[in-house]
Amino acid sequence: MSSFQSPPSSGKKSRTRHRNRTPSKESKASTPSSGNQTPGSKTPNSSRRRSSNQNTVYQTYVDPAAFAAENPTKTIVYGKFRGLTTSRKSGYVSPSKPPANQFQVEYKENAATLLRDVFISDLKARNRVVDGEYCYVVVDEAEENEEEDEDEDGDIVTNLTSKMEASTLSTQRQTWNSQEKQQTLWSPQHATNIPLPMRPLSEKQKKNLSQLTGRVIYAFPAEKSKTVVGVLKSNPNGRGGVLLNPISNKLTSFVVPSSITQTDVLASGTYTPGTWGTRDYFPKLTDVMVIGNCIDIEAETMAALLGEGIDWDETFEKTVEEDVLNSVEAGRNANGWEPTEADMANRRDFRNDCVFTIDPTTARDLDDALCVEELPDKSGVLVSVHIADVTNFVKPGSNVDDEARNRCTTVYMVDRVIPMLPRDLCEIACSLNEGVTRLSFSCQFEMDYNGGLKTDAKGKRKVWYGRGVIRSKCRLDYTTAQNIISGKCGNGNVKEDDEFWDQPRRPVDGVSRETIAEKVRLMHRIAMGRRAMRFEHGAVTLNKVKLAFKMNKNDGEKIPEKAEAYPIYDSNRVVEEFMLLANFLVAEKLIMKGEGAGLLRRHEQPSQKGLTEAKEMAEACGIYLDISTSQSLQETLNAFTKKASATNSAEDILKLQAITAILSQPFQPAEYFIASEMDQDDYMHFALNIPYYTHFTSPIRRYADCIVHRVLQAALDDDMDTYNITNPKTSEAAVAERCNEMKQAAKKAQERSDRVFLSIFLKHNPIQSTMGVVIGMGEKSFTVLIPEIGAEGRIYLDDMKKRFHHKYVENGEDGKKTIKISPTEEERVGKQLTWQNLDVQLFKKLNVSVTCKEDPPVDIKIWLNGPN
């Protein structure tokens, strides 16, 4: 069991796009034995010096400020290094503003630094920076002058980002609460500015957006050691010994101790930041441990978890379990647990309401429940969203709170669930099971039948937030709820109910099935009306295929016998719509009453460059995208989706899948932040197209929601003066950063688990022939989407030299990037091929086969067969 050590707090962070961790004074002062320069030290002509030692592989780090003074014409940028997933050597640095207490290097907000990433081409240019670390880069070549264009009125407008435009066009800004559709959908009570549309890049700007390249001159070691997981391989450079090749290609290879001789097995080791010396071609690992054989489920799962820093399992330490037992001791009874009279004091009583849950069939921890009642005047409905009151049991400073803050999230792997909280809490005392009394934190609001929020003549809403007591009447799953919505059951027909409404999913406490069915259908009507309005008004969703696996129950090795797309029903969307609305309303309360202490969630606009590239790719296959706003983007996606649906065209459906895959690339992940750390105009959630948002509805599986519950209660009590967001051991910003870190770690571990099980499924059930669509182009490889399984993979032509000849053409006859492929004589004769030439371009349909890689690490392998 490991415990999270939060980074030292440096006070309030600068309000910039990237909220970077500021290295502590200790980390700045400590320099590895490799001869790195101490920040701030005098290094005259240091940028020109070379080590006299012939064994030196990399340049020593130099003071960026001194380098800038000596080289005033050079562009120096600061940012986070992101390793490429297709290479262990190269990567990109996304420029951002450095923290104020670092080197005094001028921050140039120009086209060179804001619109483009800087490409780091190889290990020498990378100069020992590891994926995720911050660094200073000197740009090889860059246009120093900001490009300007005249707009239609002849005014000179800086064409960079909407934030920069806002500073010069503030008089033209609209506020979210001034828009009619926003008022209908969300009725914002707090005024913040809507971002200006992203202006398309001019032809001159596009021309100037050639790829910048550069080299690292200084890197900040990460603040804690990193667990690296990969496959042990013999050193291919003739140097002897064994290397560890990480599963993630974003990381370079690592040297392991000479005592390690085993190869082709999964292993983990510890990398200590700052120990990669100038004489070390690869960084070194310590504490190397062999995990197990590749394609072994247990070993692969452990590798997926450890590789993301998740070094805990389903069990908890004794001190944590004791905390839980103490918190539920008073309510224990023959049925497990129920709240005492003292627990229920000063809470609103909802026990007689027709509350019900809708969750996945296999769910064991039910943290949200719903109720809907028609208003007496039949003008709409009162909706109640009831959330498990986790913070009633998990108190700041307790052992269970410390552990929940360390884990931050429940991790869902294909074959197991690693909970954030002990099962006595998440599956019993907190779970909103049917037929038992439970404590809730609730939000109530009035809606019209079309899905809009009801307001009075002054535009005010009727919303109630507070703690309650509920007793769920029914535990539905998505399948049963969908059967009700589609009219298959819940109509008073016993025969239909016996077939489509399983006994464990039927109501309790004397409530009839018809009553539950009536509530579900009413909520469906309102939710679908609301969902339609949301997407008409600019919400964006990219529905990528999610696989579900069915295991062979008689096979102890967990070999998947079936892999298929996870079904998404209207019943899923019913729950989603009301949870989104509750999260929005709570976010607004935190902003207006939380005095800056609220933990919110934002989603940045995608990069203009990335969206421009996606737009151009889409147009290459005949799909027009308007990328100026989230609304215009979704509207053009909707138009094409409706066309595909109306015509039922397989071609159009295929194009939509490919565009969805491409559009996901420029989208940034959403992130948590503390309200006081960000300008309010930057609170917006791009994908939802709303001014602010938070997470309130899943405290059993997300620590961020627990923080939100605590802040909300303090705001309702008007007790912000004495409120402490967490245990005093950590800062607010550190908690938000940890939540972001672990949410991404859990997501990557889950994706790796999916990939492992898909690979093992394909090992036993290879696909000999299927269609693939090209969605990314390189010079010797290309990325293919396999619609049949919803997976993407790279085809490397160098792996197939005996089968195919290939030649890359930057601008083919039609001006497009093209790889010209022809079969070798042996391939053509041996397989009696009828085709002789194949031009691979974006959105080209190919015939491919898909199986499992033969060499570790386990992954899918896509082979080119020929034209589709």
Side-chain angles (χ1 to χ4, degrees), residues 721-762:
D721 287 343
T722 58
Y723 172 71
N724 188 348
I725 194 167
T726 62
N727 172 328
K729 298 175 186 175
T730 59
S731 70
E732 298 175 2
V735 172
E737 185 71 17
R738 179 65 176 176
C739 288
N740 287 327
E741 176 188 338
M742 293 314 303
K743 188 168 184 65
Q744 286 302 307
K747 180 175 182 289
K748 290 177 183 177
Q750 291 160 207
E751 289 173 347
R752 177 61 187 161
S753 181
D754 286 345
R755 196 77 168 186
V756 166
F757 275 84
L758 175 59
S759 302
I760 293 174
F761 170 76
L762 290 169

mmCIF file of all heavy atoms in Angstrom, residues 721-762:
data_model
loop_
_atom_site.group_PDB
_atom_site.id
_atom_site.type_symbol
_atom_site.label_atom_id
_atom_site.label_comp_id
_atom_site.label_asym_id
_atom_site.label_seq_id
_atom_site.Cartn_x
_atom_site.Cartn_y
_atom_site.Cartn_z
ATOM 1 N N ASP A 721 -16.190 30.703 6.055
ATOM 2 C CA ASP A 721 -15.055 31.269 6.794
ATOM 3 C C ASP A 721 -14.262 30.190 7.524
ATOM 4 O O ASP A 721 -13.040 30.268 7.640
ATOM 5 C CB ASP A 721 -15.545 32.305 7.816
ATOM 6 C CG ASP A 721 -15.997 33.585 7.143
ATOM 7 O OD1 ASP A 721 -15.636 33.780 5.971
ATOM 8 O OD2 ASP A 721 -16.715 34.370 7.782
ATOM 9 N N THR A 722 -14.962 29.201 8.028
ATOM 10 C CA THR A 722 -14.281 28.155 8.798
ATOM 11 C C THR A 722 -14.088 26.878 7.989
ATOM 12 O O THR A 722 -13.544 25.900 8.482
ATOM 13 C CB THR A 722 -15.087 27.811 10.065
ATOM 14 O OG1 THR A 722 -16.405 27.377 9.682
ATOM 15 C CG2 THR A 722 -15.201 29.022 10.970
ATOM 16 N N TYR A 723 -14.543 26.898 6.733
ATOM 17 C CA TYR A 723 -14.474 25.685 5.934
ATOM 18 C C TYR A 723 -13.046 25.347 5.530
ATOM 19 O O TYR A 723 -12.274 26.206 5.132
ATOM 20 C CB TYR A 723 -15.331 25.821 4.670
ATOM 21 C CG TYR A 723 -15.118 24.664 3.730
ATOM 22 C CD1 TYR A 723 -15.599 23.410 4.053
ATOM 23 C CD2 TYR A 723 -14.384 24.826 2.571
ATOM 24 C CE1 TYR A 723 -15.365 22.340 3.224
ATOM 25 C CE2 TYR A 723 -14.152 23.755 1.725
ATOM 26 C CZ TYR A 723 -14.641 22.513 2.068
ATOM 27 O OH TYR A 723 -14.397 21.455 1.249
ATOM 28 N N ASN A 724 -12.710 24.073 5.604
ATOM 29 C CA ASN A 724 -11.419 23.570 5.133
ATOM 30 C C ASN A 724 -11.707 22.493 4.107
ATOM 31 O O ASN A 724 -12.335 21.491 4.411
ATOM 32 C CB ASN A 724 -10.632 22.976 6.304
ATOM 33 C CG ASN A 724 -9.217 22.615 5.903
ATOM 34 O OD1 ASN A 724 -8.892 22.593 4.724
ATOM 35 N ND2 ASN A 724 -8.379 22.329 6.875
ATOM 36 N N ILE A 725 -11.269 22.720 2.879
ATOM 37 C CA ILE A 725 -11.673 21.822 1.791
ATOM 38 C C ILE A 725 -11.259 20.371 2.008
ATOM 39 O O ILE A 725 -11.931 19.458 1.593
ATOM 40 C CB ILE A 725 -11.122 22.344 0.438
ATOM 41 C CG1 ILE A 725 -11.803 21.626 -0.716
ATOM 42 C CG2 ILE A 725 -9.629 22.195 0.332
ATOM 43 C CD1 ILE A 725 -11.562 22.261 -2.058
ATOM 44 N N THR A 726 -10.141 20.148 2.650
ATOM 45 C CA THR A 726 -9.679 18.779 2.887
ATOM 46 C C THR A 726 -8.920 18.747 4.200
ATOM 47 O O THR A 726 -8.828 19.720 4.932
ATOM 48 C CB THR A 726 -8.701 18.317 1.786
ATOM 49 O OG1 THR A 726 -7.555 19.159 1.824
ATOM 50 C CG2 THR A 726 -9.332 18.386 0.415
ATOM 51 N N ASN A 727 -8.369 17.627 4.445
ATOM 52 C CA ASN A 727 -7.417 17.454 5.526
ATOM 53 C C ASN A 727 -6.326 18.534 5.421
ATOM 54 O O ASN A 727 -5.853 18.823 4.334
ATOM 55 C CB ASN A 727 -6.840 16.047 5.280
ATOM 56 C CG ASN A 727 -5.690 15.681 6.149
ATOM 57 O OD1 ASN A 727 -4.904 16.517 6.548
ATOM 58 N ND2 ASN A 727 -5.573 14.402 6.403
ATOM 59 N N PRO A 728 -5.911 19.159 6.510
ATOM 60 C CA PRO A 728 -4.909 20.227 6.446
ATOM 61 C C PRO A 728 -3.563 19.802 5.858
ATOM 62 O O PRO A 728 -2.741 20.641 5.523
ATOM 63 C CB PRO A 728 -4.746 20.626 7.920
ATOM 64 C CG PRO A 728 -5.997 20.177 8.586
ATOM 65 C CD PRO A 728 -6.432 18.946 7.865
ATOM 66 N N LYS A 729 -3.344 18.494 5.716
ATOM 67 C CA LYS A 729 -2.064 18.035 5.179
ATOM 68 C C LYS A 729 -1.866 18.447 3.718
ATOM 69 O O LYS A 729 -0.757 18.455 3.226
ATOM 70 C CB LYS A 729 -1.987 16.495 5.247
ATOM 71 C CG LYS A 729 -2.053 15.903 6.645
ATOM 72 C CD LYS A 729 -2.081 14.391 6.540
ATOM 73 C CE LYS A 729 -2.294 13.737 7.899
ATOM 74 N NZ LYS A 729 -2.444 12.270 7.786
ATOM 75 N N THR A 730 -2.942 18.724 3.006
ATOM 76 C CA THR A 730 -2.824 18.999 1.579
ATOM 77 C C THR A 730 -3.506 20.306 1.221
ATOM 78 O O THR A 730 -4.369 20.793 1.928
ATOM 79 C CB THR A 730 -3.471 17.871 0.757
ATOM 80 O OG1 THR A 730 -4.838 17.772 1.115
ATOM 81 C CG2 THR A 730 -2.786 16.550 0.987
ATOM 82 N N SER A 731 -3.112 20.868 0.084
ATOM 83 C CA SER A 731 -3.709 22.110 -0.385
ATOM 84 C C SER A 731 -4.841 21.811 -1.344
ATOM 85 O O SER A 731 -4.961 20.720 -1.885
ATOM 86 C CB SER A 731 -2.654 22.951 -1.111
ATOM 87 O OG SER A 731 -2.316 22.341 -2.335
ATOM 88 N N GLU A 732 -5.696 22.821 -1.569
ATOM 89 C CA GLU A 732 -6.806 22.663 -2.504
ATOM 90 C C GLU A 732 -6.298 22.314 -3.901
ATOM 91 O O GLU A 732 -6.813 21.413 -4.563
ATOM 92 C CB GLU A 732 -7.616 23.965 -2.556
ATOM 93 C CG GLU A 732 -8.238 24.355 -1.235
ATOM 94 C CD GLU A 732 -8.929 25.709 -1.309
ATOM 95 O OE1 GLU A 732 -8.949 26.296 -2.402
ATOM 96 O OE2 GLU A 732 -9.442 26.172 -0.294
ATOM 97 N N ALA A 733 -5.304 23.068 -4.349
ATOM 98 C CA ALA A 733 -4.787 22.851 -5.702
ATOM 99 C C ALA A 733 -4.202 21.449 -5.853
ATOM 100 O O ALA A 733 -4.331 20.821 -6.906
ATOM 101 C CB ALA A 733 -3.734 23.906 -6.032
ATOM 102 N N ALA A 734 -3.539 20.943 -4.803
ATOM 103 C CA ALA A 734 -2.949 19.606 -4.872
ATOM 104 C C ALA A 734 -4.030 18.538 -5.005
ATOM 105 O O ALA A 734 -3.853 17.546 -5.723
ATOM 106 C CB ALA A 734 -2.097 19.338 -3.636
ATOM 107 N N VAL A 735 -5.161 18.738 -4.340
ATOM 108 C CA VAL A 735 -6.255 17.774 -4.438
ATOM 109 C C VAL A 735 -6.815 17.763 -5.858
ATOM 110 O O VAL A 735 -7.056 16.711 -6.444
ATOM 111 C CB VAL A 735 -7.366 18.097 -3.421
ATOM 112 C CG1 VAL A 735 -8.582 17.209 -3.658
ATOM 113 C CG2 VAL A 735 -6.856 17.897 -2.005
ATOM 114 N N ALA A 736 -7.031 18.946 -6.433
ATOM 115 C CA ALA A 736 -7.532 19.030 -7.810
ATOM 116 C C ALA A 736 -6.551 18.360 -8.771
ATOM 117 O O ALA A 736 -6.958 17.612 -9.668
ATOM 118 C CB ALA A 736 -7.758 20.484 -8.209
ATOM 119 N N GLU A 737 -5.257 18.628 -8.580
ATOM 120 C CA GLU A 737 -4.235 18.038 -9.445
ATOM 121 C C GLU A 737 -4.223 16.513 -9.314
ATOM 122 O O GLU A 737 -4.096 15.788 -10.303
ATOM 123 C CB GLU A 737 -2.868 18.609 -9.084
ATOM 124 C CG GLU A 737 -1.737 18.171 -9.994
ATOM 125 C CD GLU A 737 -1.813 18.805 -11.379
ATOM 126 O OE1 GLU A 737 -2.523 19.810 -11.546
ATOM 127 O OE2 GLU A 737 -1.165 18.282 -12.291
ATOM 128 N N ARG A 738 -4.356 16.026 -8.081
ATOM 129 C CA ARG A 738 -4.375 14.581 -7.859
ATOM 130 C C ARG A 738 -5.603 13.944 -8.514
ATOM 131 O O ARG A 738 -5.518 12.873 -9.111
ATOM 132 C CB ARG A 738 -4.364 14.289 -6.355
ATOM 133 C CG ARG A 738 -4.414 12.802 -5.993
ATOM 134 C CD ARG A 738 -3.191 12.055 -6.454
ATOM 135 N NE ARG A 738 -3.205 10.658 -6.009
ATOM 136 C CZ ARG A 738 -2.298 9.760 -6.342
ATOM 137 N NH1 ARG A 738 -1.297 10.091 -7.133
ATOM 138 N NH2 ARG A 738 -2.379 8.520 -5.899
ATOM 139 N N CYS A 739 -6.745 14.612 -8.412
ATOM 140 C CA CYS A 739 -7.956 14.096 -9.049
ATOM 141 C C CYS A 739 -7.775 14.005 -10.560
ATOM 142 O O CYS A 739 -8.190 13.020 -11.188
ATOM 143 C CB CYS A 739 -9.157 14.982 -8.711
ATOM 144 S SG CYS A 739 -9.739 14.843 -7.007
ATOM 145 N N ASN A 740 -7.174 15.028 -11.159
ATOM 146 C CA ASN A 740 -6.913 14.998 -12.595
ATOM 147 C C ASN A 740 -5.965 13.858 -12.955
ATOM 148 O O ASN A 740 -6.178 13.120 -13.923
ATOM 149 C CB ASN A 740 -6.301 16.332 -13.051
ATOM 150 C CG ASN A 740 -7.302 17.460 -13.064
ATOM 151 O OD1 ASN A 740 -8.480 17.255 -13.324
ATOM 152 N ND2 ASN A 740 -6.842 18.663 -12.774
ATOM 153 N N GLU A 741 -4.902 13.754 -12.180
ATOM 154 C CA GLU A 741 -3.879 12.746 -12.441
ATOM 155 C C GLU A 741 -4.471 11.339 -12.397
ATOM 156 O O GLU A 741 -4.247 10.521 -13.292
ATOM 157 C CB GLU A 741 -2.765 12.880 -11.404
ATOM 158 C CG GLU A 741 -1.674 11.840 -11.490
ATOM 159 C CD GLU A 741 -0.706 11.925 -10.313
ATOM 160 O OE1 GLU A 741 -0.616 12.996 -9.676
ATOM 161 O OE2 GLU A 741 -0.051 10.912 -10.037
ATOM 162 N N MET A 742 -5.248 11.057 -11.352
ATOM 163 C CA MET A 742 -5.755 9.701 -11.184
ATOM 164 C C MET A 742 -6.919 9.395 -12.122
ATOM 165 O O MET A 742 -7.119 8.232 -12.497
ATOM 166 C CB MET A 742 -6.164 9.464 -9.729
ATOM 167 C CG MET A 742 -4.989 9.474 -8.760
ATOM 168 S SD MET A 742 -3.565 8.486 -9.344
ATOM 169 C CE MET A 742 -4.304 6.865 -9.580
ATOM 170 N N LYS A 743 -7.687 10.401 -12.495
ATOM 171 C CA LYS A 743 -8.751 10.160 -13.471
ATOM 172 C C LYS A 743 -8.153 9.721 -14.804
ATOM 173 O O LYS A 743 -8.639 8.787 -15.443
ATOM 174 C CB LYS A 743 -9.620 11.403 -13.648
ATOM 175 C CG LYS A 743 -10.850 11.151 -14.514
ATOM 176 C CD LYS A 743 -11.833 12.288 -14.442
ATOM 177 C CE LYS A 743 -13.098 11.971 -15.251
ATOM 178 N NZ LYS A 743 -13.863 10.844 -14.706
ATOM 179 N N GLN A 744 -7.072 10.401 -15.231
ATOM 180 C CA GLN A 744 -6.410 10.012 -16.464
ATOM 181 C C GLN A 744 -5.720 8.660 -16.321
ATOM 182 O O GLN A 744 -5.731 7.845 -17.253
ATOM 183 C CB GLN A 744 -5.397 11.088 -16.875
ATOM 184 C CG GLN A 744 -6.024 12.347 -17.440
ATOM 185 C CD GLN A 744 -6.893 12.074 -18.645
ATOM 186 O OE1 GLN A 744 -6.473 11.449 -19.618
ATOM 187 N NE2 GLN A 744 -8.139 12.506 -18.585
ATOM 188 N N ALA A 745 -5.123 8.409 -15.151
ATOM 189 C CA ALA A 745 -4.453 7.122 -14.925
ATOM 190 C C ALA A 745 -5.459 5.978 -15.001
ATOM 191 O O ALA A 745 -5.193 4.939 -15.632
ATOM 192 C CB ALA A 745 -3.755 7.131 -13.569
ATOM 193 N N ALA A 746 -6.614 6.153 -14.361
ATOM 194 C CA ALA A 746 -7.645 5.110 -14.384
ATOM 195 C C ALA A 746 -8.151 4.891 -15.805
ATOM 196 O O ALA A 746 -8.368 3.748 -16.230
ATOM 197 C CB ALA A 746 -8.797 5.495 -13.468
ATOM 198 N N LYS A 747 -8.329 5.971 -16.541
ATOM 199 C CA LYS A 747 -8.806 5.867 -17.925
ATOM 200 C C LYS A 747 -7.812 5.078 -18.783
ATOM 201 O O LYS A 747 -8.198 4.187 -19.553
ATOM 202 C CB LYS A 747 -9.009 7.267 -18.506
ATOM 203 C CG LYS A 747 -9.508 7.311 -19.940
ATOM 204 C CD LYS A 747 -9.781 8.766 -20.343
ATOM 205 C CE LYS A 747 -10.334 8.853 -21.770
ATOM 206 N NZ LYS A 747 -9.324 8.549 -22.785
ATOM 207 N N LYS A 748 -6.519 5.390 -18.631
ATOM 208 C CA LYS A 748 -5.507 4.695 -19.426
ATOM 209 C C LYS A 748 -5.406 3.222 -19.028
ATOM 210 O O LYS A 748 -5.221 2.356 -19.887
ATOM 211 C CB LYS A 748 -4.157 5.386 -19.257
ATOM 212 C CG LYS A 748 -4.095 6.762 -19.911
ATOM 213 C CD LYS A 748 -2.757 7.430 -19.637
ATOM 214 C CE LYS A 748 -2.704 8.832 -20.227
ATOM 215 N NZ LYS A 748 -1.415 9.502 -19.904
ATOM 216 N N ALA A 749 -5.511 2.939 -17.726
ATOM 217 C CA ALA A 749 -5.459 1.546 -17.274
ATOM 218 C C ALA A 749 -6.644 0.764 -17.829
ATOM 219 O O ALA A 749 -6.507 -0.392 -18.264
ATOM 220 C CB ALA A 749 -5.448 1.485 -15.747
ATOM 221 N N GLN A 750 -7.825 1.402 -17.810
ATOM 222 C CA GLN A 750 -9.012 0.760 -18.359
ATOM 223 C C GLN A 750 -8.872 0.508 -19.859
ATOM 224 O O GLN A 750 -9.239 -0.560 -20.355
ATOM 225 C CB GLN A 750 -10.244 1.633 -18.068
ATOM 226 C CG GLN A 750 -10.612 1.675 -16.596
ATOM 227 C CD GLN A 750 -11.473 2.857 -16.215
ATOM 228 O OE1 GLN A 750 -11.461 3.324 -15.076
ATOM 229 N NE2 GLN A 750 -12.229 3.380 -17.155
ATOM 230 N N GLU A 751 -8.331 1.486 -20.576
ATOM 231 C CA GLU A 751 -8.133 1.315 -22.022
ATOM 232 C C GLU A 751 -7.129 0.204 -22.303
ATOM 233 O O GLU A 751 -7.300 -0.570 -23.251
ATOM 234 C CB GLU A 751 -7.660 2.631 -22.630
ATOM 235 C CG GLU A 751 -8.745 3.703 -22.674
ATOM 236 C CD GLU A 751 -8.214 5.053 -23.114
ATOM 237 O OE1 GLU A 751 -6.963 5.223 -23.150
ATOM 238 O OE2 GLU A 751 -9.026 5.950 -23.417
ATOM 239 N N ARG A 752 -6.087 0.140 -21.482
ATOM 240 C CA ARG A 752 -5.093 -0.926 -21.667
ATOM 241 C C ARG A 752 -5.722 -2.295 -21.384
ATOM 242 O O ARG A 752 -5.448 -3.270 -22.086
ATOM 243 C CB ARG A 752 -3.896 -0.679 -20.743
ATOM 244 C CG ARG A 752 -2.816 -1.762 -20.779
ATOM 245 C CD ARG A 752 -2.206 -1.914 -22.151
ATOM 246 N NE ARG A 752 -1.289 -3.053 -22.216
ATOM 247 C CZ ARG A 752 -0.907 -3.627 -23.343
ATOM 248 N NH1 ARG A 752 -1.346 -3.180 -24.511
ATOM 249 N NH2 ARG A 752 -0.080 -4.659 -23.316
ATOM 250 N N SER A 753 -6.576 -2.368 -20.373
ATOM 251 C CA SER A 753 -7.268 -3.619 -20.063
ATOM 252 C C SER A 753 -8.143 -4.047 -21.232
ATOM 253 O O SER A 753 -8.151 -5.222 -21.632
ATOM 254 C CB SER A 753 -8.121 -3.437 -18.803
ATOM 255 O OG SER A 753 -8.797 -4.628 -18.459
ATOM 256 N N ASP A 754 -8.865 -3.102 -21.826
ATOM 257 C CA ASP A 754 -9.679 -3.412 -23.005
ATOM 258 C C ASP A 754 -8.812 -3.947 -24.139
ATOM 259 O O ASP A 754 -9.173 -4.911 -24.823
ATOM 260 C CB ASP A 754 -10.410 -2.153 -23.497
ATOM 261 C CG ASP A 754 -11.578 -1.764 -22.602
ATOM 262 O OD1 ASP A 754 -12.007 -2.599 -21.790
ATOM 263 O OD2 ASP A 754 -12.064 -0.624 -22.727
ATOM 264 N N ARG A 755 -7.666 -3.295 -24.328
ATOM 265 C CA ARG A 755 -6.773 -3.686 -25.429
ATOM 266 C C ARG A 755 -6.209 -5.084 -25.198
ATOM 267 O O ARG A 755 -6.070 -5.878 -26.133
ATOM 268 C CB ARG A 755 -5.637 -2.668 -25.539
ATOM 269 C CG ARG A 755 -4.867 -2.709 -26.833
ATOM 270 C CD ARG A 755 -5.612 -2.057 -27.965
ATOM 271 N NE ARG A 755 -4.739 -1.862 -29.123
ATOM 272 C CZ ARG A 755 -5.094 -1.204 -30.224
ATOM 273 N NH1 ARG A 755 -6.294 -0.679 -30.316
ATOM 274 N NH2 ARG A 755 -4.248 -1.076 -31.226
ATOM 275 N N VAL A 756 -5.853 -5.379 -23.964
ATOM 276 C CA VAL A 756 -5.306 -6.701 -23.642
ATOM 277 C C VAL A 756 -6.344 -7.789 -23.917
ATOM 278 O O VAL A 756 -6.050 -8.803 -24.572
ATOM 279 C CB VAL A 756 -4.852 -6.750 -22.167
ATOM 280 C CG1 VAL A 756 -4.618 -8.194 -21.718
ATOM 281 C CG2 VAL A 756 -3.582 -5.928 -21.977
ATOM 282 N N PHE A 757 -7.574 -7.591 -23.436
ATOM 283 C CA PHE A 757 -8.600 -8.613 -23.625
ATOM 284 C C PHE A 757 -8.996 -8.747 -25.091
ATOM 285 O O PHE A 757 -9.283 -9.848 -25.559
ATOM 286 C CB PHE A 757 -9.818 -8.309 -22.748
ATOM 287 C CG PHE A 757 -9.685 -8.838 -21.348
ATOM 288 C CD1 PHE A 757 -9.008 -8.124 -20.384
ATOM 289 C CD2 PHE A 757 -10.208 -10.073 -21.006
ATOM 290 C CE1 PHE A 757 -8.868 -8.604 -19.095
ATOM 291 C CE2 PHE A 757 -10.074 -10.573 -19.717
ATOM 292 C CZ PHE A 757 -9.404 -9.843 -18.761
ATOM 293 N N LEU A 758 -9.004 -7.616 -25.823
ATOM 294 C CA LEU A 758 -9.282 -7.697 -27.251
ATOM 295 C C LEU A 758 -8.183 -8.488 -27.960
ATOM 296 O O LEU A 758 -8.460 -9.323 -28.833
ATOM 297 C CB LEU A 758 -9.388 -6.296 -27.847
ATOM 298 C CG LEU A 758 -9.572 -6.217 -29.371
ATOM 299 C CD1 LEU A 758 -10.843 -6.953 -29.802
ATOM 300 C CD2 LEU A 758 -9.585 -4.768 -29.832
ATOM 301 N N SER A 759 -6.935 -8.244 -27.593
ATOM 302 C CA SER A 759 -5.811 -8.956 -28.209
ATOM 303 C C SER A 759 -5.900 -10.458 -27.940
ATOM 304 O O SER A 759 -5.669 -11.279 -28.839
ATOM 305 C CB SER A 759 -4.481 -8.403 -27.682
ATOM 306 O OG SER A 759 -4.365 -7.024 -27.944
ATOM 307 N N ILE A 760 -6.240 -10.811 -26.707
ATOM 308 C CA ILE A 760 -6.332 -12.228 -26.368
ATOM 309 C C ILE A 760 -7.522 -12.878 -27.075
ATOM 310 O O ILE A 760 -7.453 -14.025 -27.529
ATOM 311 C CB ILE A 760 -6.419 -12.398 -24.836
ATOM 312 C CG1 ILE A 760 -5.078 -11.960 -24.214
ATOM 313 C CG2 ILE A 760 -6.765 -13.827 -24.452
ATOM 314 C CD1 ILE A 760 -5.077 -11.933 -22.711
ATOM 315 N N PHE A 761 -8.613 -12.122 -27.199
ATOM 316 C CA PHE A 761 -9.757 -12.627 -27.970
ATOM 317 C C PHE A 761 -9.335 -12.903 -29.413
ATOM 318 O O PHE A 761 -9.676 -13.940 -29.990
ATOM 319 C CB PHE A 761 -10.895 -11.608 -27.923
ATOM 320 C CG PHE A 761 -12.023 -11.925 -28.866
ATOM 321 C CD1 PHE A 761 -12.938 -12.929 -28.569
ATOM 322 C CD2 PHE A 761 -12.161 -11.232 -30.068
ATOM 323 C CE1 PHE A 761 -13.971 -13.237 -29.456
ATOM 324 C CE2 PHE A 761 -13.183 -11.535 -30.952
ATOM 325 C CZ PHE A 761 -14.095 -12.539 -30.644
ATOM 326 N N LEU A 762 -8.574 -11.965 -30.017
ATOM 327 C CA LEU A 762 -8.144 -12.120 -31.407
ATOM 328 C C LEU A 762 -7.111 -13.235 -31.566
ATOM 329 O O LEU A 762 -6.992 -13.832 -32.634
ATOM 330 C CB LEU A 762 -7.577 -10.799 -31.923
ATOM 331 C CG LEU A 762 -8.605 -9.684 -32.126
ATOM 332 C CD1 LEU A 762 -7.902 -8.347 -32.377
ATOM 333 C CD2 LEU A 762 -9.550 -10.012 -33.270
#
